[in-house]
Structure formats: structure tokens, C-alpha cells
Amino acid sequence: MIEIKDLHKSYKIGKNSLHVLKGINFSVEEGELVSIMGSSGSGKSTLLNILGMLDEADLGTYHLDGVEIKNLTEKIAANYRNKFLGFIFQSFNLINYKSALDNVALPLYYQNINRKERMERAMSYLEKVGLADWAKHLPNELSGGQKQRVAIARALAGQPKVILADELTGALDSTTSYEIMHLIQEINDEGKTILVVTHEEDIAQMTKRIVNLKDGVIIDDRKIEQVKALANV
Amino acid sequence: MFSLERWLEVFEAINKNKLRTFLTGFSVATGILILVLLLGVGEGMKNGVEEQFQRDAANQISVYTGVTGVEYKGLNPGRRIQFKNNDYDLLVENFGDELEYKSSVYRIWTGLTSYKDKSGSYRLEGVLPNYQFLERAGMIEGRFINENDQANSTKNVVIGKKVREELFEDKNPLGKLIEIRDINFKVVGVFQDPGGDREESKVFMAISTMQKVFGAGQDIRNLSFTLPQEESFDVALEKSNQLISKLEAMLKAKHTVSPLDNSAINISNSIENSKRFYDLTANIKLFFWLIGLASLLAGIIGVSNIMLIIVKERTKEIGIRKALGAKPMSIVGMVLHESIFVTAVSGFMGLIVGLVLLEFVGPMINTEFISNPEVSFNIAISTVIVLVLAGAVAGFFPAWRGAKIKPINALREE
Ligand SMILES: Nc1ncnc2c1ncn2[C@@H]1O[C@H](COP(=O)(O)OP(=O)(O)O)[C@@H](O)[C@H]1O
Ligand SMILES: [Mg+2]
């Protein structure tokens, strides 16, 4: 599903250049639930953003579902993000003036799906994350866990091939975190490919594979015995 | 571009961001309102000044005769030229369309006039109905000489305010008979004249009456007429000079006067006086155009600033939308669609308030120099359209920059 080879990325800070990713090679099969681990500043988010086409690599190749991601125009990148990817952020990134339902429906708006169908589909995803009763509420009327559930519903709504989550439990207490991870596991069990960036060991243990990042390279990549989140709730 | 879906999206954004919408709308509406009021006051001031200086605006021309100065076609110099009714006909036939007001005039310098035991000596003038406007005589009572007086040579007269005061004191003069040079005339009107006492010590009657009653036959003392106001002094001057030289040539030919003679046919022209008026109105127009343009510019700058702020405020939202698959043009479209809609609606609201204010408050302010302030609807509409378009153009660049910003950078924004 995802295949990257020799990926490099540096940031320019004034005259200096900060080499963050120094040749990353890895691939993800369909249906995997992978966590990218590493200490703060190790380049996890940078990697995820490149995978999400929110940022570009300096060097290396990237194939997503067999399509080479290279020199994309803004328009094509937008189209790929819309069709292939679903994002979940630490800070939720919901649009604050839109209701939970409208937030979930937004990816479908950019797929040119008509309003009626948009609302029906969005509603079914809200039901899936257990927030059907909160459909009309604005984000600031929801708890952190509820916001993240809305964000997950939104990431699912566009029916993407891959879901990318950056520290999705970073702003939540541990009970809520496990509830969210339980939801992620359920979605993965249905066959969805999911990449989770985290620096928390317990969260990583709830995935099926841990990729360890240090100083811009992968130092460890292994499959693990998945810890079921429900057991910890 | 303007799909129903987009409209719904825009209405939602407007509805949920009332403060932003209100602030944008309010500044656009007040901008347009101020502009409309300014243009209105400018127009009113121009009207006021035109009224004040109208006397000076008219290019009044008077043609009178004298004695020939040079020999011509065997005729000796020193011959007196006399205008007749057909000289006036010649003027009307050849130039009637180009003239504003016109009249032939016959004049008797002293006419002893009495009513009961009061009497005085006044200038008598036989004129045509138009003469009222040539003299700018304002009627205080009754009417001026009319076509009927001229056609039937009625013995009706119009007397000046001074004449009325001296002969009638505070009695009503209308319908009363006065005696002029031992002949009875009926007073049908009283006029006043900005020229004051001297101009108001006159008695007008139809020229046909005067020619008959005082034995003047077909004689005319002078031809008096005005040319209409023109776009500019230069145009007025040129038209005036053309007409004068043609008329002079015609009259000289008719009366067998040498083209070189400069005393037999005299033409006096007040056009130099009107230069002041043209300069003044041109300056007022220019002044308000400049103010108008300046306020329009201020409006445009205001709208573009608002657009900048809106895009800045929405950067994070733009990042989110891009992460969800919004294309750059859809971001530009969304921002512009909302701003054009809000600018247009509030612009028209400002326009309507401005027009209503001018309509109802306008007539109340009739000071000396502001009269009938109003704005041409077309100009006002054009201003709104210009502002909306300018807002769209000015808003395009921040919207475009917002759409081009890397999603990852937009998302980092707080
Ligand atoms: N836009 C940027 N400009 C400059 N430096 C950046 C930028 N984004 C991240 N960095 C730097 O790159 C390194 C990796 O950052 P990041 O990928 O966010 O790490 P992680 O998510 O693992 O904590 C950090 O040292 C960070 O300061
Ligand atoms: Mg990070």
C-alpha cells in the first residue's frame, strides 16, 4: 500500500540546514496497523506529513497504492489527499463553526457528493464512532475524546485507502486514549490500513507493528503481539 | 463556480461568523454611504453655485444700431441704421434653434406714469414674453407679458417693484388702470430684479402694443438674446463668436453696410463675464471628483485590508480544508464568493440608505450654496460595482496566497 525508498528531508533554518530524515526505507501492506515511534524531534511528524502529501520530501521515492507520488501539482495533490488519505491530528483540527455532522461531511463536499448523500453518509460515520446524538453540536461543545471521535469519523468519511494519525491521543487522558485506540483497532479490524505516530509505548503496543525512528533513520522495525485496548479501559 | 453547494457553504460561513460578516459589511456599507452622501453634497453644491451665479452663466448678447462710419456702395457715411421687426425675424429664422431666450426690444427712456394722485417718470420697454428670462425678472405678483398680449397688442403692463411702491404704496396694483403718457394701461403683474431699484423702475408692455400706441411703426431698438450654457467656457466662446460673426455679416448685408464698418451695427457680448462661472463650476466638479475618487480608493484599500484579515483568520481552516482535499481554486472561490456576496449586499444597503437620506433630508438643507443635493442613480450603482469588483480583485491576492500556502504550514497556524 505504501512504499518509500531512501527518503530524505531537511529544513532550512536561516543559513543552516537541519537534516531530519536521512534515508528512510519502509513499506506498509494493506490492512496493517503500524505505529511510528521515536523520541520528540526524531522526525515522526515530518515523515507522516510527507506520506500525507502535506509536505514534500527532498529525495527518494514514494508509491501510494501503486501510484508514484512525485512533482504533484497542488490540484492533483488535493485530489490524492481527498481520495487516498484520512488524517487524524493531535489537536483535532475540526472547523470550529461547523457542527460535528458538517465537519464529518466536509471530505465528501470535496468529492462533489450531493448534500443529501453527504449528510446520510456523515451521519452513519458519526453513529459508528458513537456520536449520533451529538451531530448538531459545535466542536467547542464536545469533550476532547468526542472531538477526536468526530475527527476519526471525518477521516473515515472519505473512504480513504490509508489513515494517518499524528499523536492522536496526545491531548487525551489515558482512559479516553484507550477508548480511542479501541476505535482505531476496530476500524483496522475491518481492513483499513492505519499509520499512527506516537511517542507513548502503551499506545504503540496497541498496534501490530512498531517502526522505531532515531536520528533520522529507522533503527528497528518489528511486528508485535497486539494489546487489545478494550482490556485496559 | 457559483453552484448551489458553494452558496450553501458560503451561507453557512456567513451565518456562523456573524461578527466577521457584520464588520466587513458595516465598513463597506458606511464607505458607500459616505461616498453617496459626498457625491450628493457635491452635486448640491454645484447646483447651489449654479443658481447663485446663473446670471453670470448666461452669455447675453445685445445687438443695436448706430450711424455708418464708412462709405459703401455709393452710400455716404453718417447714415443712421434702423432695425425693423424683420431684423428680428431674420435672427429667429437663421439662429432660432441655437438661442436660449430671445426678444426684440423697443424703448422709451422717459414715460410719465400716474395712478390717481401719484406719479413718476419711468423707462418704458416693449418686449416679447421671453424677455422676462433675459432680464431675470422674478414675478412677485401677477404675470409677465404673454403671447396673447403680443398677438393682440393688449394694453397690459407689468411694473417694477419700485414703480409699485411709488404709485400704489401698499395697495393691490393688479387689475388697476394706470396712465402712461395719457393713455390707460392695466397692470397685470409686478416684478423684481436682482439689479435693484434702477432695474425695478421700469414698465414692460408687449412690443407690438408699444409700436402701435407710441407710433413706432415697425421699429426695434435692439435684439436681445442668450445662448445656452455649454460644457465649458471654450465651447461657449467659440459658439458665441461664430454666431456673432454670421449674424453681423447678415445684418450688414441686409442694411447695405460695409463689412469694414464698425459703428453701424454694434454687438455687445457678456461672455467674458461668464468665464468666472465656468471656472468655478469646473473647479467644484473637479474638487468633488477628487474627493469621490479618494473615498473610493479608501474604500478599496479598506476592502482589501478586510480581505487580508479574513484570509489570515481563516488560514488554519484553509489548512484543514486542504488536508481534506480542497483544491487551491476552490479555496480562492470560497473566499471570494463570500466577500463578493457580503460586499455587494452591504454595498447596496449603504447605497440605499444614502439615497434615502438624500431623498428625505436633502430637500431640508437648502442653504445658499447647497441646493437639491442628489446623486444620479447610475453613478451610485457604478460606485458600488466598482467597489465590489475592486474588492474582488484586491481580495484575490490574499485569497490566492492563502490557497497556495503549504497545508502543513497552514495547519501550524493558530
Ligand atoms: N517547518 C519546520 N521548519 C524547521 N524545522 C522543523 C520544521 N518542522 C519540524 N522541524 C524540526 O524537525 C525536527 C523533527 O520534527 P518532527 O518531525 O515534528 O518531530 P517529531 O514529530 O518526531 O517530534 C525537529 O527538530 C523540528 O524542530
Ligand atoms: Mg510530532
Side-chain angles (χ1 to χ4, degrees):
Chain A
M1 180 62 63
I2 287 175
E3 193 168 339
I4 55 174
K5 287 207 177 94
D6 199 27
L7 201 74
H8 286 261
K9 174 77 181 177
S10 19
Y11 290 112
K12 284 215 160 42
I13 309 163
K15 278 184 185 156
N16 301 321
S17 168
L18 180 64
H19 204 169
V20 179
L21 300 180
K22 303 171 182 165
I24 305 278
N25 294 287
F26 95 130
S27 52
V28 177
E29 299 302 317
E30 185 166 359
E32 277 198 273
L33 173 54
V34 183
S35 57
I36 299 169
M37 281 278 288
S39 56
S40 180
S42 57
K44 308 181 294 289
S45 296
T46 304
L47 177 58
L48 198 78
N49 290 334
I50 291 170
L51 294 178
M53 294 176 236
L54 298 175
D55 205 349
E56 285 162 8
D58 301 330
L59 270 178
T61 59
Y62 170 24
H63 286 83
L64 176 61
D65 197 28
V67 179
E68 179 164 19
I69 307 301
K70 194 181 163 190
N71 297 333
L72 299 183
T73 64
E74 279 272 6
K75 201 172 156 184
I76 293 172
N79 198 18
Y80 284 180
R81 284 196 290 268
N82 185 240
K83 283 206 309 221
F84 295 158
L85 303 168
F87 293 96
I88 306 169
F89 303 94
Q90 176 173 2
S91 55
F92 322 121
N93 282 340
L94 300 174
I95 292 178
N96 57 22
Y97 65 84
K98 282 181 176 288
S99 69
L101 186 67
D102 285 335
N103 264 289
V104 175
L106 201 53
L108 302 172
Y109 173 75
Y110 290 114
Q111 288 177 2
N112 297 319
I113 289 168
N114 73 49
R115 189 174 183 82
K116 186 167 172 288
E117 193 182 339
R118 257 180 6 236
M119 291 309 152
E120 280 171 12
R121 280 214 228 165
M123 198 61 200
S124 75
Y125 284 104
L126 271 183
E127 272 165 26
K128 189 177 177 66
V129 300
L131 286 179
D133 293 343
W134 298 81
K136 294 285 168 226
H137 289 251
L138 292 177
N140 62 13
E141 296 161 349
L142 304 175
S143 71
Q146 287 173 322
K147 281 185 208 170
Q148 201 57 300
R149 282 168 188 273
V150 173
I152 291 170
R154 182 178 65 182
L156 289 172
Q159 294 177 326
K161 295 186 186 303
V162 177
I163 288 184
L164 304 172
D166 192 350
E167 307 275 8
L168 81 166
T169 59
L172 307 173
D173 62 60
S174 55
T175 311
T176 316
S177 295
Y178 297 154
E179 284 168 4
I180 293 294
M181 282 314 289
H182 173 61
L183 188 56
I184 292 290
Q185 286 176 344
E186 275 184 349
I187 293 163
N188 174 245
D189 289 344
E190 287 165 17
K192 195 69 81 189
T193 314
I194 304 176
L195 258 77
V196 176
V197 158
T198 181
H199 65 276
E200 290 166 289
E201 186 63 38
D202 54 342
I203 298 296
Q205 291 299 331
M206 292 173 183
T207 65
K208 294 173 174 168
R209 172 181 162 197
I210 299 178
V211 175
N212 232 313
L213 216 59
K214 194 177 180 201
D215 294 333
V217 290
I218 294 175
I219 52 164
D220 185 35
D221 183 347
R222 62 195 150 88
K223 296 228 161 76
I224 57 157
E225 191 63 34
Q226 186 181 34
V227 174
K228 284 289 172 190
L230 200 56
N232 290 289
V233 175
Chain B
M1 171 116 184
F2 285 86
S3 66
L4 177 65
E5 294 287 346
R6 169 78 70 60
W7 277 107
L8 291 172
E9 200 55 24
V10 164
F11 278 132
E12 186 183 16
I14 287 173
N15 213 10
K16 302 279 174 62
N17 296 282
K18 290 204 175 67
L19 185 66
R20 177 174 87 208
T21 308
F22 173 78
L23 289 178
T24 316
F26 186 75
S27 60
V28 171
T30 45
I32 292 278
L33 175 65
I34 289 170
L35 191 64
V36 167
L37 291 183
L38 253 169
L39 289 174
V41 171
E43 185 68 23
M45 209 159 147
K46 205 183 110 238
N47 290 342
V49 166
E50 269 177 9
E51 262 167 39
Q52 290 286 314
F53 293 92
Q54 221 163 31
R55 262 184 87 75
D56 300 337
N59 174 17
Q60 185 154 1
I61 299 172
S62 181
V63 189
Y64 54 98
T65 52
V67 173
T68 54
V70 297
E71 185 197 319
Y72 186 60
K73 290 189 176 171
L75 296 168
N76 287 332
R79 186 167 49 96
R80 173 160 289 282
I81 302 298
Q82 176 66 54
F83 279 158
K84 301 283 183 186
N85 284 347
N86 59 17
D87 289 289
Y88 177 73
D89 297 339
L90 175 139
L91 172 75
V92 174
E93 270 163 37
N94 289 288
F95 306 104
D97 295 342
E98 298 164 49
L99 307 181
E100 186 183 29
Y101 301 118
K102 52 194 180 289
S103 175
S104 51
V105 182
Y106 190 83
R107 192 174 286 121
I108 291 175
W109 293 99
T110 53
L112 188 64
T113 305
S114 59
Y115 174 70
K116 296 195 172 150
D117 57 335
K118 299 274 191 318
S119 68
S121 180
Y122 307 109
R123 199 157 120 193
L124 311 179
E125 292 194 349
V127 297
L128 294 175
N130 259 196
Y131 201 71
Q132 179 188 355
F133 307 108
L134 286 167
E135 279 287 298
R136 306 209 177 274
M139 300 310 297
I140 332 181
E141 290 167 79
R143 60 169 178 83
F144 198 73
I145 298 300
N146 63 21
E147 296 293 347
N148 181 49
D149 296 320
Q150 169 67 11
N152 300 319
S153 307
T154 62
K155 287 184 187 159
N156 290 338
V157 291
V158 176
I159 61 175
K161 196 167 131 217
K162 187 86 189 322
V163 179
R164 178 205 194 283
E165 280 163 11
E166 288 179 2
L167 298 186
F168 292 93
E169 291 171 335
D170 47 10
K171 290 189 282 281
N172 178 13
L174 293 186
K176 302 281 164 29
L177 291 180
I178 57 174
E179 227 172 63
I180 305 176
R181 291 189 161 187
D182 300 328
I183 298 164
N184 279 334
F185 289 88
K186 189 168 81 179
V187 177
V188 294
V190 179
F191 70 90
Q192 60 181 1
D193 190 297
D197 278 3
R198 211 176 68 91
E199 295 294 312
E200 287 168 351
S201 308
K202 288 201 285 195
V203 175
F204 288 122
M205 64 187 75
I207 186 166
S208 64
T209 310
M210 195 154 196
Q211 286 168 334
K212 263 191 199 129
V213 172
F214 299 107
Q218 297 274 308
D219 287 2
I220 290 178
R221 284 274 184 252
N222 58 311
L223 308 175
S224 192
F225 53 89
T226 55
L227 298 182
Q229 190 182 328
E230 297 291 344
E231 261 315 298
S232 71
F233 178 72
D234 292 338
V235 177
L237 184 65
E238 179 171 334
K239 289 206 171 165
S240 156
N241 285 343
Q242 267 178 14
L243 187 140
I244 286 174
S245 62
K246 275 196 240 161
L247 177 64
E248 189 177 349
M250 278 183 194
L251 289 172
K252 279 179 171 171
K254 181 163 179 286
H255 292 275
T256 332
V257 172
S258 160
L260 303 173
D261 194 310
N262 52 21
S263 62
I265 308 271
N266 303 290
I267 300 184
S268 81
N269 184 352
S270 71
I271 189 141
E272 287 304 329
N273 291 341
S274 71
K275 184 165 183 3
R276 228 168 38 123
F277 168 82
Y278 281 107
D279 287 349
L280 187 61
T281 45
N283 282 338
I284 291 177
K285 256 191 199 155
L286 186 68
F287 179 67
F288 278 94
W289 263 108
L290 288 181
I291 288 194
L293 284 180
S295 15
L296 195 61
L297 198 68
I300 291 170
I301 292 171
V303 169
S304 9
N305 268 334
I306 293 167
M307 293 297 299
L308 266 170
I309 293 167
I310 287 181
V311 170
K312 179 98 185 98
E313 192 198 283
R314 295 183 82 169
T315 303
K316 175 119 188 184
E317 181 193 338
I318 288 173
I320 297 172
R321 285 177 181 270
K322 292 188 83 169
L324 298 180
K327 297 182 178 72
M329 278 325 281
S330 118
I331 299 288
V332 173
M334 172 184 79
V335 173
L336 283 189
H337 192 155
E338 181 181 327
S339 82
I340 290 174
F341 179 70
V342 173
T343 336
V345 168
S346 48
F348 279 108
M349 258 152 51
L351 173 70
I352 287 165
V353 172
L355 291 179
V356 165
L357 270 181
L358 284 180
E359 185 70 17
F360 291 102
V361 182
M364 287 181 219
I365 33 170
N366 252 324
T367 66
E368 222 173 331
F369 280 98
I370 298 179
S371 135
N372 195 18
E374 61 182 4
V375 176
S376 115
F377 192 66
N378 285 341
I379 289 190
I381 287 273
S382 320
T383 333
V384 176
I385 291 174
V386 166
L387 199 68
V388 171
L389 286 183
V393 171
F396 179 81
F397 295 100
W400 181 246
R401 225 183 45 200
K404 276 289 170 195
I405 188 171
K406 266 198 196 172
I408 189 62
N409 294 332
L411 281 170
R412 247 195 288 275
E413 200 83 16
E414 255 330 304

XYZ file of all heavy atoms in Angstrom, chain B residues 76-108:
282
model
N -23.216 107.400 -48.575
C -22.309 108.206 -47.757
C -22.272 107.710 -46.322
O -23.241 107.142 -45.827
C -22.775 109.674 -47.745
C -22.483 110.338 -49.076
O -21.542 109.946 -49.782
N -23.298 111.313 -49.428
N -21.160 107.952 -45.634
C -21.132 107.666 -44.194
C -22.065 108.603 -43.446
O -22.515 109.600 -44.012
C -19.675 107.884 -43.812
C -19.077 108.713 -44.896
C -19.875 108.486 -46.141
N -22.361 108.304 -42.195
C -23.218 109.174 -41.399
C -24.683 108.818 -41.533
O -25.558 109.506 -41.013
N -24.966 107.699 -42.199
C -26.341 107.271 -42.382
C -26.795 106.489 -41.142
O -26.077 105.631 -40.643
C -26.389 106.371 -43.618
C -27.753 105.915 -44.073
C -27.624 105.321 -45.485
N -26.527 104.366 -45.526
C -26.697 103.041 -45.385
N -27.890 102.533 -45.245
N -25.641 102.238 -45.421
N -27.991 106.791 -40.606
C -28.479 106.086 -39.415
C -29.169 104.797 -39.816
O -30.012 104.794 -40.701
C -29.443 106.981 -38.622
C -30.118 106.256 -37.453
C -30.668 107.198 -36.418
N -29.623 107.877 -35.639
C -28.956 107.308 -34.638
N -29.215 106.073 -34.290
N -28.022 107.973 -34.000
N -28.804 103.711 -39.185
C -29.416 102.403 -39.482
C -30.525 102.160 -38.456
O -30.370 102.457 -37.274
C -28.370 101.286 -39.371
C -27.181 101.538 -40.315
C -29.006 99.930 -39.666
C -27.532 101.576 -41.781
N -31.662 101.674 -38.926
C -32.800 101.403 -38.034
C -33.244 99.947 -38.185
O -33.559 99.498 -39.273
C -33.968 102.343 -38.393
C -35.243 102.083 -37.607
C -35.076 102.384 -36.111
O -34.662 103.478 -35.732
N -35.350 101.395 -35.264
N -33.268 99.187 -37.054
C -33.799 97.817 -37.089
C -35.309 97.850 -37.183
O -35.961 98.710 -36.602
C -33.425 97.057 -35.809
C -32.027 96.496 -35.819
C -31.385 96.200 -34.617
C -31.344 96.248 -37.014
C -30.105 95.679 -34.597
C -30.057 95.726 -36.994
C -29.442 95.445 -35.791
N -35.871 96.890 -37.916
C -37.317 96.728 -38.024
C -37.680 95.326 -37.531
O -36.785 94.490 -37.316
C -37.756 96.869 -39.501
C -37.411 98.189 -40.149
C -38.358 99.285 -39.700
C -38.026 100.589 -40.424
N -38.836 101.712 -39.917
N -38.965 95.048 -37.433
C -39.391 93.708 -36.999
C -38.755 92.594 -37.821
O -38.436 91.526 -37.313
C -40.914 93.570 -37.085
C -41.597 94.290 -35.926
O -40.932 94.667 -34.954
N -42.892 94.507 -36.045
N -38.541 92.868 -39.121
C -37.994 91.786 -39.942
C -36.529 91.479 -39.632
O -36.016 90.445 -40.013
C -38.238 92.045 -41.434
C -37.608 93.349 -41.890
O -36.739 93.905 -41.202
N -38.052 93.846 -43.037
N -35.851 92.390 -38.926
C -34.495 92.050 -38.472
C -34.559 90.993 -37.370
O -33.724 90.100 -37.285
C -33.764 93.296 -37.968
C -33.409 94.225 -39.123
O -32.511 93.844 -39.893
O -34.064 95.288 -39.262
N -35.580 91.141 -36.537
C -35.775 90.120 -35.504
C -36.152 88.787 -36.160
O -35.656 87.723 -35.788
C -36.875 90.562 -34.523
C -37.173 89.516 -33.472
C -36.268 89.288 -32.437
C -38.341 88.754 -33.522
C -36.522 88.315 -31.484
C -38.612 87.788 -32.571
C -37.696 87.579 -31.546
O -37.944 86.611 -30.597
N -37.031 88.873 -37.200
C -37.413 87.652 -37.909
C -36.194 86.967 -38.504
O -36.074 85.745 -38.488
C -38.421 87.969 -39.021
C -39.714 88.532 -38.437
O -39.951 88.298 -37.230
O -40.460 89.216 -39.169
N -35.279 87.786 -39.044
C -34.058 87.238 -39.625
C -33.254 86.474 -38.568
O -32.768 85.367 -38.801
C -33.218 88.383 -40.210
C -31.832 88.045 -40.775
C -31.609 88.822 -42.068
C -30.733 88.388 -39.792
N -33.164 87.059 -37.379
C -32.454 86.394 -36.278
C -33.099 85.039 -35.973
O -32.411 84.014 -35.877
C -32.479 87.285 -35.025
C -31.948 86.624 -33.749
C -30.442 86.531 -33.778
C -32.411 87.400 -32.512
N -34.421 85.049 -35.839
C -35.118 83.827 -35.440
C -35.022 82.766 -36.531
O -34.764 81.597 -36.259
C -36.593 84.127 -35.105
C -37.349 82.832 -34.841
C -36.670 85.057 -33.911
N -35.205 83.196 -37.782
C -35.146 82.228 -38.875
C -33.791 81.542 -38.961
O -33.695 80.343 -39.163
C -35.417 82.924 -40.221
C -36.884 82.937 -40.595
C -37.155 83.968 -41.681
O -36.279 84.124 -42.567
O -38.214 84.628 -41.619
N -32.728 82.319 -38.812
C -31.395 81.770 -39.026
C -30.772 81.112 -37.798
O -29.978 80.203 -37.917
C -30.449 82.857 -39.543
C -30.790 83.233 -40.966
O -30.547 82.475 -41.894
N -31.419 84.398 -41.125
N -31.118 81.632 -36.636
C -30.412 81.145 -35.435
C -31.339 80.661 -34.325
O -30.879 80.324 -33.243
C -29.496 82.246 -34.880
C -28.542 82.793 -35.898
C -28.774 84.033 -36.481
C -27.432 82.055 -36.289
C -27.899 84.534 -37.432
C -26.557 82.553 -37.237
C -26.787 83.807 -37.822
N -32.653 80.677 -34.616
C -33.640 80.358 -33.578
C -33.289 79.136 -32.731
O -33.407 79.164 -31.512
N -32.796 78.074 -33.402
C -32.536 76.830 -32.676
C -31.361 76.929 -31.714
O -31.261 76.173 -30.756
C -32.246 75.693 -33.669
C -33.467 75.404 -34.513
O -34.571 75.814 -34.103
O -33.301 74.798 -35.589
N -30.448 77.839 -32.008
C -29.241 77.921 -31.185
C -29.428 78.829 -29.978
O -28.543 78.908 -29.127
C -28.063 78.459 -32.023
C -27.708 77.566 -33.196
C -26.824 78.288 -34.203
O -25.823 78.896 -33.789
O -27.163 78.258 -35.410
N -30.548 79.544 -29.946
C -30.718 80.527 -28.877
C -31.497 79.947 -27.713
O -32.310 79.047 -27.882
C -31.454 81.754 -29.416
C -30.839 82.382 -30.671
C -31.647 83.617 -31.084
C -29.383 82.754 -30.446
N -31.228 80.495 -26.534
C -31.962 80.060 -25.356
C -33.214 80.933 -25.211
O -34.332 80.473 -25.336
C -31.054 80.160 -24.140
C -31.667 79.591 -22.876
C -30.752 79.778 -21.674
O -29.967 80.768 -21.660
O -30.813 78.959 -20.756
N -33.009 82.216 -24.954
C -34.123 83.174 -24.883
C -33.848 84.273 -25.888
O -32.698 84.614 -26.144
C -34.223 83.784 -23.483
C -34.435 82.755 -22.403
C -33.498 82.591 -21.390
C -35.577 81.948 -22.406
C -33.686 81.640 -20.397
C -35.772 80.997 -21.430
C -34.831 80.841 -20.422
O -35.018 79.910 -19.457
N -34.944 84.864 -26.432
C -34.739 85.912 -27.425
C -35.898 86.895 -27.386
O -37.037 86.519 -27.087
C -34.608 85.309 -28.827
C -35.748 84.362 -29.180
C -35.422 83.539 -30.390
C -36.572 82.592 -30.749
N -36.711 81.478 -29.783
N -35.572 88.131 -27.670
C -36.632 89.145 -27.699
C -36.152 90.332 -28.508
O -34.953 90.626 -28.567
C -36.961 89.587 -26.268
O -37.901 90.638 -26.293
N -37.097 90.991 -29.141
C -36.788 92.298 -29.704
C -37.230 93.317 -28.655
O -38.079 93.023 -27.824
C -37.541 92.506 -31.021
O -38.913 92.226 -30.826
N -36.613 94.481 -28.682
C -36.907 95.475 -27.648
C -37.115 96.851 -28.285
O -36.377 97.258 -29.184
C -35.737 95.578 -26.634
C -36.067 96.581 -25.533
C -35.398 94.216 -26.043
N -38.158 97.532 -27.810
C -38.299 98.952 -28.158
C -38.339 99.718 -26.846
O -38.914 99.242 -25.860
C -39.573 99.224 -28.969
C -39.599 100.622 -29.519
C -38.926 100.911 -30.718
C -40.239 101.659 -28.837
C -38.896 102.197 -31.209
C -40.210 102.944 -29.334
C -39.535 103.221 -30.516
O -39.503 104.500 -30.986
N -37.710 100.866 -26.816
C -37.518 101.513 -25.520
C -37.877 102.997 -25.593
O -37.541 103.676 -26.563
C -36.054 101.341 -25.122
C -35.714 101.698 -23.702
C -34.275 101.335 -23.395
N -34.062 99.896 -23.236
C -33.229 99.179 -23.977
N -32.529 99.748 -24.932
N -33.107 97.880 -23.779
N -38.574 103.458 -24.589
C -38.765 104.908 -24.447
C -38.184 105.263 -23.093
O -38.547 104.670 -22.074
C -40.264 105.282 -24.511
C -40.785 105.044 -25.931
C -40.486 106.731 -24.080
C -42.280 105.272 -26.084
